[in-house]
């Protein structure tokens, strides 16, 4: 077997990162100060090499101050903001889904608003028996899986939160968003290495497959898994035997009752459901409107600029945009229509809508596949409900128990309370667009990994830390 110098250097660095520095006076090893994978800027094809490099980067980060950790995060923020246009359009070209202006905006807002080190809180208990300090400590190297719907944005948000918590991360991105993932990660690491002197805090598998995901999940040096995606990856992460944070699928229902401000409801529904062509997991996916205001609500949607399809046009769109998959031939969104523009959906339905049209909509019954399926395209089904109880019951059924996101438009606080209790979702928005729940037009902070099934909620730096307690017995209570 032939070994070149870089392989030998990587092996030596990996061994050194296991055993620590050589004692003074020992034989000088080959470039002892070069950590595993240094100079690769986070881009790897081999999972083991990526994890070794991320491990070495984590060990370096541990020896640095909180101020330097913040400096690393500020570099990611700066690139995300300054290069949002170039990277956003790169993601648009590669994935071919969503809307370019939103690809750009997602990167910029993550750079501006993803939570950082300020989210790490120290607690203290002080009493007759001294002082206990509870602090947040990193896990180490985290494995992250990211979706095609927001490839680089998810990596960016995860990286900020995970590094703020003191970790490094290895990402297995969706294969259809792998190029922008690798390019974004390369740019982040290059700048971090130049300005802070640590390479590979964020590593990415350049040719991701289900096998590389499995290897990552089972790697001994991975201490925590964070997956963002549909049901299959959530199940795979939970089967891994490791602690997993699962940001899973949603099918967010909207209820509109007879007390709602219908024009505001229509504007908000369009804003949320049309954003990035409905790719967001939190986006409005089906609307249940009480019968007494149903026709007025449809008129409000038209006034707000959405294009209504009649029953035959909805059927025509459905026959192309919904397909059958799996052994049980269940309904699923057709790949060719996911994340496509509303005007494309309208054309498929036989309607000539202007390119500026953001959303198409139409009346369906509750069993329609556009209600039951997470469509991720800018067509919204509207279903008549007898009354608000009926609307809430249908919303609960078609949220499918994901406990992800729900929205109500109402001025009746009782109805808001009942729906909140019944659906029990991680995010619950009243009288706003879905993204208000992520701090975009509402209060709170932003992350694109919302962990419903495992309960962490909108992930933050604290999500990626362990709690540790340090107790001083009978002393240091100075009051
Ligand atoms: P997807 O489930 O097809 O893929 C997500 C990621 O998981 C990809 O990287 C994919 O390669 C990987 N993957 C899939 N099956 C796997 C398996 N068995 N083992 C290992 N890895 C596997 O989803 P997508 O189309 O990329 O993204 C859309 C889905 O993600 C929607 O269901 C949406 O609701 C969800 N999502 C959730 C959140 C959240 O915060 N909860 C955020 C964004 C997207």
């Amino acid at each position: 077997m032939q070994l070149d110098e870089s392989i030998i250097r990587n092996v030596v660095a990996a061994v050194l990162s296991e055993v620590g520095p050589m004692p003074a006076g020992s034989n000088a090893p080959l470039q002892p100060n070069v950590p595993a994978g240094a100079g690769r800027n986070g881009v790897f094809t081999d999972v083991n090499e990526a994890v070794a490099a991320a491990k070495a980067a984590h060990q370096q980060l541990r020896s640095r101050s909180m101020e330097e950790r913040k400096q690393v995060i500020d570099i990611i923020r700066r690139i995300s903001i300054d290069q949002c246009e170039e990277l956003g359009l790169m993601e648009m070209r590669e994935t071919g889904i969503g809307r370019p202006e939103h690809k750009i905006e997602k990167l910029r807002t993550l750079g501006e608003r993803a939570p950082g080190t300020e989210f790490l809180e120290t607690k203290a208990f002080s009493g007759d028996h001294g002082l206990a300090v509870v602090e947040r400590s990193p896990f180490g190297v985290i494995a992250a899986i990211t979706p095609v719907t927001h490839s680089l944005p998810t990596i960016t948000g995860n990286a900020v939160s995970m590094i703020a918590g003191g970790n490094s991360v290895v990402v297995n991105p969706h294969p259809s968003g792998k190029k922008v993932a690798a390019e974004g990660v390369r740019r982040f690491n290059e700048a971090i290495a130049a300005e802070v002197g640590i390479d590979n805090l964020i590593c990415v598998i350049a040719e991701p497959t289900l096998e590389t995901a499995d290897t990552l999940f089972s790697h001994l040096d991975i201490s925590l898994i964070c997956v963002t995606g549909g049901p299959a990856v959530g199940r795979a992460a939970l089967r891994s035997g490791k602690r997993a944070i699962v940001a899973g699928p949603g099918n967010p229902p909207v209820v509109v009752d007879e007390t709602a401000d219908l024009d505001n409801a229509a504007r908000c529904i369009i804003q949320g459901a049309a954003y990035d062509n409905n790719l967001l997991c939190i986006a409005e996916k089906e609307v249940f409107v009480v019968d007494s205001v149903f026709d007025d609500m449809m008129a409000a949607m038209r006034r707000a600029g959405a294009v209504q399809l009649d029953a035959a046009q909805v059927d025509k769109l459905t026959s192309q945009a919904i397909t059958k998959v799996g052994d049980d031939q269940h309904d699923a969104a057709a790949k060719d229509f996911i994340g496509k523009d509303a005007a494309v959906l309208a054309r498929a339905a036989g309607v000539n809508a202007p390119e500026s049209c953001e959303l198409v909509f139409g009346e369906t019954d509750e069993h329609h596949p556009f209600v039951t399926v997470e469509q991720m395209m800018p067509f919204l089904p509207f279903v008549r409900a007898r009354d608000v109880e009926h609307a809430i019951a249908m919303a609960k059924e078609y949220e499918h128990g994901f406990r992800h996101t729900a929205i109500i438009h109402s001025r009746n606080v009782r109805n808001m309370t009942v729906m909140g209790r019944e659906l029990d979702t991680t995010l619950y928005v009243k009288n706003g667009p879905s993204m208000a729940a992520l701090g975009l037009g509402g209060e709170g902070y932003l992350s694109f990994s919302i962990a419903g099934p495992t309960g962490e909620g909108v992930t933050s730096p604290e999500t990626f830390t362990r709690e540790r307690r340090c107790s001083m017995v009978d002393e240091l209570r100075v009051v």
Side-chain angles (χ1 to χ4, degrees), residues 174-462:
H174 192 290
S176 303
K178 66 183 180 188
K179 289 189 193 138
V180 69
E183 181 55 18
V185 163
R186 192 192 65 70
R187 292 183 190 198
F188 292 151
N189 283 300
E190 191 176 49
I192 296 166
E195 295 173 44
V196 187
I198 309 177
D199 196 8
N200 303 317
L201 275 171
I202 315 149
C203 293
V204 65
I205 306 302
E207 294 298 338
T209 60
L210 293 184
E211 289 70 38
T212 56
D214 273 351
T215 312
L216 196 53
F217 285 171
S218 57
H219 199 292
L220 282 178
D221 287 331
I222 293 294
S223 339
L224 178 70
I225 294 170
C226 175
V227 301
T228 306
V233 67
R235 282 194 298 271
L238 291 170
R239 272 198 311 267
S240 69
K242 297 212 164 121
R243 164 118 194 265
I245 294 164
V246 177
N251 194 34
V254 185
V255 165
V256 181
D257 77 7
E258 63 281 7
T259 69
D261 174 340
L262 299 184
D263 284 313
N264 182 59
R267 281 192 300 274
C268 292
I269 288 169
I270 293 172
Q271 189 185 346
Y275 193 82
D276 210 18
N277 286 342
N278 202 262
L279 290 181
L280 296 192
C281 58
I282 58 167
E284 290 79 351
K285 298 282 191 293
E286 62 276 343
V287 188
F288 302 100
V289 187
V290 299
D291 190 41
S292 60
V293 293
F294 187 90
D295 295 333
D296 291 343
M297 183 64 205
M298 299 300 255
M301 289 295 290
R302 292 192 298 273
R303 271 198 301 281
V307 169
Q308 187 169 359
L309 305 184
D310 65 24
Q313 291 160 345
V314 171
D315 284 350
K316 193 165 176 201
L317 173 63
T318 308
S319 67
Q320 300 163 74
I322 300 288
T323 183
K324 303 268 183 206
V325 296
D327 293 340
D328 60 349
Q329 287 289 286
H330 63 269
D331 290 323
K335 227 173 159 201
D336 288 350
F337 283 83
I338 289 177
K340 295 301 179 216
D341 289 349
V344 173
L345 304 192
R347 271 199 295 283
V351 174
N352 215 350
E355 290 302 321
S356 60
C357 160
E358 292 183 277
L359 188 78
V360 282
F361 71 106
E363 181 172 357
T364 71
D365 69 22
E366 64 171 295
H367 306 292
H368 196 280
F370 269 118
V371 175
T372 59
V373 165
E374 187 192 17
Q375 72 268 37
M376 295 189 284
M377 64 184 86
F379 170 83
L380 268 199
F382 279 63
V383 179
R384 270 177 211 271
R386 286 187 302 278
D387 49 31
V388 74
E389 287 78 19
H390 185 212
I392 292 173
M394 288 192 285
K396 181 173 180 170
E397 178 162 0
Y398 297 109
E399 207 274 325
H400 299 310
F402 290 141
R403 299 201 294 180
H404 195 296
T405 299
I407 300 115
I408 188 169
H409 291 277
S410 171
R411 291 188 182 104
N412 182 319
V413 173
R414 185 71 212 147
N415 291 348
M416 294 179 191
T417 309
V418 170
M419 179 160 166
R421 287 194 180 147
E422 277 296 309
L423 271 79
D424 199 15
T425 47
T426 305
L427 304 179
Y428 180 38
V429 181
K430 277 78 68 185
N431 299 328
S434 49
M435 65 272 272
L438 295 186
L440 304 170
E443 293 303 321
Y445 60 92
L446 177 64
S447 163
F448 277 9
S449 294
I450 300 139
T454 46
E456 292 81 3
V458 182
T459 53
S460 77
E462 201 184 62

Side-chain angles (χ1 to χ4, degrees), residues 8-19 34-36 52 55-56 59:
I8 295 169
R9 198 180 298 140
N10 286 348
V11 171
V12 170
V15 171
L16 281 174
S17 74
E18 290 284 341
V19 300
V34 179
K55 186 176 175 187
Q59 279 165 349

